[in-house]
Amino acid sequence: MNTKEIMALSDQYVMHTYGRIGLALVQGQGAELRDAEGKTYLDFVGGLAVNSLGHCHPAVVRAIRDQAETLMHVSNLYYTEPQAKLAELLVQNSCCQRVFFCNSGAEANEAAIKLTRKYAKKFGGPEKYEIITAEKSFHGRTLAAITATGQTKYQQGFEPLPQGFKYVPFNDLAALQKAVGPHTCAVLLEPVQGEGGVIPAERDYLAGVRELCDQQGLLLIFDEVQCGLGRIGKFMAYQHYGVEPDLITLAKALAGGFPMGAMLAKQAVADVFAPGDHAATFGGNPLACAAALAAMGVMLQEAVPENCAQVGAYLKEQLLVLQQKYSFIREVRGLGLLLGMELAVEGAPYVRRCQERGLLINCAAGNVLRLLPPLIITKEEADRAVAILDAALGAE
């Protein structure tokens, strides 16, 4: 099928929940994608931070193929080896001791919300249920997750929303301190806000949040769905800041392109969950876990976060050069290979211009050009992307 045929078929039968771009992608390898007409693109969207090892990484492909021939799914009523090994890997490389597996970031955040509330009621009393989140945050599309999300545009039309969430400005410790009340049980933050426009937390801010949570008996949850798993140059995003949360949510890059999510928690928190309190039919199935074991194995054994930090710093330097060249670039910000270029104008036209020239990027918050390339890109690929971006920014 060609692009027009694929688009027509999709538009006829698929619900219109996405503002899709007129591009039908059919094949990927490494940092490149090919469309239905055979044109290639340098992929700096990366499946929205999913394809951290690039497309069709051989280790992940091999793991999926081998596991698919062995055992794809059984109920979580039973034990499976891939799930046990993946839980061990995540615990050994984090500050947490227990893992719950699911299928997406929204599901991971739902699990964290439920676990947090049960913990709070057990140790703080029935009045403890409120979770404070940040303005411009994004935590998923399920009903509780969009309520936790500090952006009203995602909530409109779905009222009434669940109770128990309060929002404060990001990187404003005084505002957070003021918001803590008798019902507060936890703080939920992204170490780097992705959908909000690529806004990193300040180091002193997260340290202050941790201290406040300790003083007030609150749990601290880090949503690392987008910024974790190597994306900002450390395996876990909290490691960049030296601040340990009580719970961590993961997804996106976890299984190298295969759908998977996880919620990690410290032992004392995890212990309040009992059989029947939470579940996911497909969560932690053998196929997803085999893919994740392969992907995370490559991530850790081949120093992928280190490459991300090095190439990310180089790419950011080149973007800062562009900022000096174009007066309508307000700011370049981000960590590792989660980078954003805030414009004084709408970003969508520049996304289109880049696509026309063979570079896929994304726009967040309306005017922030967001770059989320595979973490395995080279400086040469970064240079290619900057050259195309330069041409797109300078086009009349």
Side-chain angles (χ1 to χ4, degrees), residues 111-126:
I113 291 166
K114 286 181 66 176
L115 178 57
T116 294
R117 285 190 170 179
K118 186 166 188 192
Y119 178 89
K121 284 180 170 53
K122 180 174 181 179
F123 294 103

Side-chain angles (χ1 to χ4, degrees), residues 8 21 32 80 97 127 144 150 161 185 199-200 202 256 278 291 300 309 389 394:
I21 295 168
E32 291 191 336
T80 62
Q97 290 78 46
E127 75 283 359
L161 300 173
C185 68
I199 306 170
E202 296 168 0
H278 198 54
L300 293 164
L389 185 56

Side-chain angles (χ1 to χ4, degrees), residues 44-366:
F44 270 48
V45 176
L48 290 176
V50 169
N51 302 106
S52 289
L53 300 181
H55 297 276
C56 300
H57 191 283
V60 178
V61 171
R62 184 168 54 251
I64 292 173
R65 182 184 63 240
D66 292 347
Q67 189 63 46
E69 293 177 345
T70 306
L71 182 68
M72 284 194 280
H73 174 78
V74 292
S75 169
N76 278 308
L77 292 171
Y78 311 104
Y79 294 92
T80 62
E81 182 178 335
Q83 186 180 107
K85 286 185 174 180
L86 180 59
E88 178 187 38
L89 182 149
L90 292 174
V91 166
Q92 289 181 345
N93 290 279
S94 75
C95 62
C96 296
Q97 290 78 46
R98 294 283 176 173
V99 184
F100 172 82
F101 290 113
C102 50
N103 308 285
S104 68
E107 286 183 51
N109 284 325
E110 289 277 344
I113 291 166
K114 286 181 66 176
L115 178 57
T116 294
R117 285 190 170 179
K118 186 166 188 192
Y119 178 89
K121 284 180 170 53
K122 180 174 181 179
F123 294 103
E127 75 283 359
K128 296 290 187 180
Y129 60 84
E130 184 179 79
I131 298 174
I132 300 175
T133 72
E135 295 173 1
K136 297 185 179 181
S137 61
F138 183 83
H139 299 293
R141 302 278 187 170
T142 57
L143 202 54
I146 62 166
T147 310
T149 293
Q151 300 188 61
T152 55
K153 66 181 181 180
Y154 295 111
Q155 301 167 350
Q156 292 172 354
F158 302 108
E159 301 87 353
L161 300 173
Q163 295 181 344
F165 295 93
K166 185 184 290 187
Y167 317 104
V168 296
F170 193 50
N171 278 325
D172 188 337
L173 186 59
L176 178 59
Q177 291 171 327
K178 187 177 179 180
V180 175
H183 302 301
T184 308
C185 68
V187 177
L188 168 60
L189 298 171
E190 300 159 273
V192 181
Q193 292 186 334
E195 297 298 323
V198 188
I199 306 170
E202 296 168 0
R203 185 175 293 271
D204 289 345
Y205 171 70
L206 285 190
V209 174
R210 177 71 271 179
E211 184 177 359
L212 175 65
C213 287
D214 291 340
Q215 291 172 350
Q216 299 291 332
L218 311 177
L219 293 179
L220 178 56
I221 311 163
F222 279 177
D223 178 342
E224 298 198 11
V225 169
Q226 184 169 140
C227 64
L229 301 176
R231 177 56 56 180
I232 65 170
K234 297 288 186 181
F235 184 64
M236 296 286 183
Y238 80 84
Q239 294 167 340
H240 173 83
Y241 290 93
V243 175
E244 288 190 2
D246 302 297
L247 299 91
I248 305 169
T249 57
L250 303 170
K252 290 192 180 291
L254 182 54
F258 200 88
M260 188 171 206
M263 184 267 291
L264 283 60
K266 291 195 171 181
Q267 186 73 53
V269 182
D271 281 346
V272 304
F273 259 176
D277 280 344
H278 198 54
T281 296
F282 293 103
N285 65 76
L287 190 56
C289 287
L293 277 168
M296 294 301 97
V298 171
M299 181 81 66
L300 293 164
Q301 294 162 19
E302 298 186 13
V304 173
E306 288 81 354
N307 182 75
C308 169
Q310 293 169 8
V311 179
Y314 175 78
L315 177 57
K316 189 174 183 180
E317 288 176 1
Q318 307 314 304
L319 297 179
L320 288 167
V321 172
L322 293 183
Q323 184 183 14
Q324 297 301 312
K325 185 175 180 179
Y326 299 102
S327 60
F328 58 90
I329 300 176
R330 286 177 176 164
E331 185 181 10
V332 173
R333 56 180 180 254
L335 297 169
L337 287 169
L338 173 46
L339 298 173
M341 177 182 284
E342 182 177 337
L343 308 181
V345 295
E346 286 295 309
Y350 298 98
V351 173
R352 289 193 295 270
R353 292 177 187 179
C354 285
Q355 178 187 324
E356 292 167 358
R357 292 164 171 81
L359 173 67
L360 301 183
I361 62 172
N362 172 250
C363 184

Side-chain angles (χ1 to χ4, degrees), residues 30-47:
E32 291 191 336
L33 285 164
R34 182 173 63 83
D35 69 15
E37 279 66 49
K39 182 178 178 179
T40 60
Y41 302 84
L42 188 59
D43 181 17
F44 270 48
V45 176

